[in-house]
Amino acid sequence: MSHDFLKNTKVLVCVGSGGVGKTTVAASVGVLAAKQGLKVLVLTIDPAKRLAQTLGIEGTNDLTKVPGQNFKGELWASVIDHKKTFDDFVERAAQKSEAVRRIFDNSLYKQLSTNLSGSQEFTSLEKLYSVYESGKFDLIILDTPPTKHALDFLKAPQKLSALFSEGVAKWFRDPEGKKSGILGHLIQAGTRQVLKVLETLTGSQFIRELGDFFINIEQWQGKLLQRTTEVQRMLVAPTTKFFLVTSFDQAKLKEAEYFSREIRKGGYNLDTVILNRVFPHWLDLRVGYEGGTAEQGLADLYMQMKTYYNHRDAIYRQFEKKMSIEARVLRIPDLVKDVSDLSGLEEISALITEEEKSK
């Protein structure tokens, strides 16, 4: 079966709240695409141990061809190393090797490249764009970090870039206002007062680190802004599609409705909403219990489960009705086993295909 969402698609971004199964969905869609003959890379963020073993990426951050596959195309995977991705970007963007060494030694940079809010989102998109530029793969699937809101992920690089705007950096790069006019001197007089207060509160060592940091990022400050613009252009391109993954929880469903509208509003191409783990794979709501009267206890239990899942089904239908205006909606049932091997991913990819057929 050919899949419409794969046509003219170069990048597929899986977004959604944490704990909804984005990584497994991303890997399963990768299997589906590789079966179609594409050379696919799944970029993921700290997958569960079993899934990492399944993809052959446990203990490595290199691009790795998933072992044990026999697909028409090829499935590759990699865990995003945020620190290394940021370092690689700085090395490429900075023009002087001496400045690179000083920035790597700066304790503020070490915090920025690992813990600062938005840095993981930036490095995820930077890694995605680097591979996209290389042209080595037909399709790249990005499993995004578990940000609370999908929109936080999309806006984080711009926020990070704004943090390093010239206006902020100038504060620390020229605290005496020597390069400014009269107005600049007035502003810098205020700057010096603020720096003095900061020095009192945090100590002179911190202020020195901060000043060195902004002096040394001058080499790649503009490149960061340029890269953010290029990444944004790629994200809104017709060849980039978004999958929004959610699971059963009325709060998460409402959140997904809101995200889908905002994703569209931002100019991104929301292709599919996936309702993950909606009901047990073995449960068919259309079938009644056919056991004997001696098994009345089991019959009662079965009917209670059906009532419970029928209630959920009614909520799903309302959700699908609203969402179908924005994108197609697919349901994936909850398997009775953990996905711990390639056959498990193939099983989920087959369920996605089955759902597509039913639409």
Side-chain angles (χ1 to χ4, degrees):
M1 176 186 171
S2 62
H3 301 275
D4 287 343
F5 75 91
L6 293 177
K7 290 175 185 171
N8 301 316
T9 304
K10 296 290 182 190
V11 174
L12 203 155
V13 184
C14 285
V15 295
S17 308
V20 294
K22 280 196 305 293
T23 307
T24 302
V25 168
S28 301
V29 173
V31 166
L32 188 154
K35 282 184 167 181
Q36 293 289 304
L38 300 180
K39 185 177 180 183
V40 187
L41 171 66
V42 177
L43 284 174
T44 187
I45 319 288
D46 191 23
K49 189 177 178 183
R50 283 185 178 178
L51 188 57
Q53 286 173 339
T54 300
L55 295 172
I57 51 178
E58 192 181 28
T60 176
N61 299 311
D62 297 333
L63 302 185
T64 304
K65 187 175 179 182
V66 176
Q69 60 181 284
N70 185 24
F71 305 140
K72 189 177 171 186
E74 292 180 7
L75 179 64
W76 292 65
S78 178
V79 177
I80 297 174
D81 182 335
H82 298 288
K83 179 75 168 63
K84 185 174 185 310
T85 303
F86 219 130
D87 288 354
D88 288 347
F89 166 75
V90 171
E91 277 195 311
R92 284 198 309 275
Q95 296 166 357
K96 296 177 183 174
S97 57
E98 193 182 336
V100 173
R101 183 185 53 74
R102 283 203 302 271
I103 202 75
F104 285 174
D105 288 341
N106 190 287
S107 57
L108 284 172
Y109 172 77
K110 290 172 185 171
Q111 288 293 315
L112 158 73
S113 56
T114 51
N115 297 323
L116 185 73
S117 173
S119 63
Q120 284 201 359
E121 288 77 5
F122 168 73
T123 47
S124 298
L125 290 173
E126 167 58 23
K127 183 68 178 178
L128 170 66
Y129 192 74
S130 299
V131 182
Y132 172 78
E133 269 188 320
S134 75
K136 290 180 180 173
F137 296 92
D138 300 314
L139 175 68
I140 308 161
I141 300 172
L142 176 66
D143 163 37
T144 59
T147 42
K148 188 178 177 186
H149 301 301
L151 295 179
D152 290 346
F153 169 77
L154 296 169
K155 291 177 180 173
Q158 289 95 319
K159 288 180 181 173
L160 191 69
S161 181
L163 181 63
F164 301 128
S165 68
E166 183 57 23
V168 176
K170 204 172 179 180
W171 258 45
F172 298 95
R173 200 173 286 148
D174 184 25
E176 299 302 321
K178 292 176 181 175
K179 297 178 184 175
S180 309
I182 296 174
L183 181 61
H185 277 290
L186 288 174
I187 295 170
Q188 295 301 340
T191 302
R192 286 194 295 276
Q193 287 180 359
V194 172
L195 290 177
K196 196 172 177 182
V197 172
L198 279 175
E199 189 168 327
T200 305
L201 292 173
T202 62
S204 57
Q205 176 64 29
F206 176 77
I207 294 300
R208 272 199 298 277
E209 288 270 354
L210 201 56
D212 286 346
F213 175 76
F214 279 105
I215 287 169
N216 289 307
I217 67 165
E218 194 171 10
Q219 297 286 325
W220 51 272
Q221 196 177 341
K223 294 284 176 60
L224 180 65
L225 179 61
Q226 181 189 338
R227 201 66 165 176
T228 304
T229 305
E230 290 168 346
V231 166
Q232 179 66 16
R233 195 174 295 137
M234 176 194 67
L235 290 176
V236 297
T239 51
T240 299
K241 292 177 181 171
F242 280 66
F243 272 30
L244 175 59
V245 184
T246 186
S247 59
F248 183 77
D249 178 309
Q250 295 209 42
K252 285 186 177 175
L253 294 180
K254 284 190 177 301
E255 205 173 53
E257 287 178 31
Y258 170 72
F259 290 161
S260 69
R261 288 193 297 273
E262 292 298 310
I263 287 171
R264 286 283 194 195
K265 205 184 291 179
Y268 307 105
N269 183 11
L270 178 62
D271 183 85
T272 302
V273 177
I274 290 188
L275 270 165
N276 197 22
R277 306 170 188 149
V278 289
F279 49 83
H281 188 210
W282 50 266
L283 180 65
D284 187 341
L285 296 176
R286 298 163 299 184
V287 178
Y289 184 76
E290 296 177 353
T293 52
E295 299 161 326
Q296 192 57 47
L298 283 176
D300 291 343
L301 182 61
Y302 182 78
M303 290 310 295
Q304 285 174 19
M305 287 192 67
K306 273 195 67 171
T307 302
Y308 172 72
Y309 282 105
N310 273 322
H311 173 66
R312 286 175 61 148
D313 186 59
I315 293 171
Y316 289 142
R317 287 183 187 283
Q318 289 176 6
F319 175 80
E320 286 174 347
K321 190 176 177 183
K322 292 178 189 171
M323 295 300 298
S324 59
I325 301 168
E326 309 282 342
R328 65 177 183 159
V329 183
L330 303 180
R331 296 185 187 194
I332 301 179
D334 195 10
L335 300 182
V336 292
K337 60 181 181 183
D338 287 337
V339 176
S340 58
D341 54 25
L342 206 52
S343 66
L345 294 176
E346 288 190 70
E347 193 172 345
I348 294 177
S349 73
L351 291 170
I352 294 172
T353 303
E354 199 176 307
E355 263 290 282
E356 285 188 296
K357 281 183 187 172
S358 69
K359 298 295 177 183

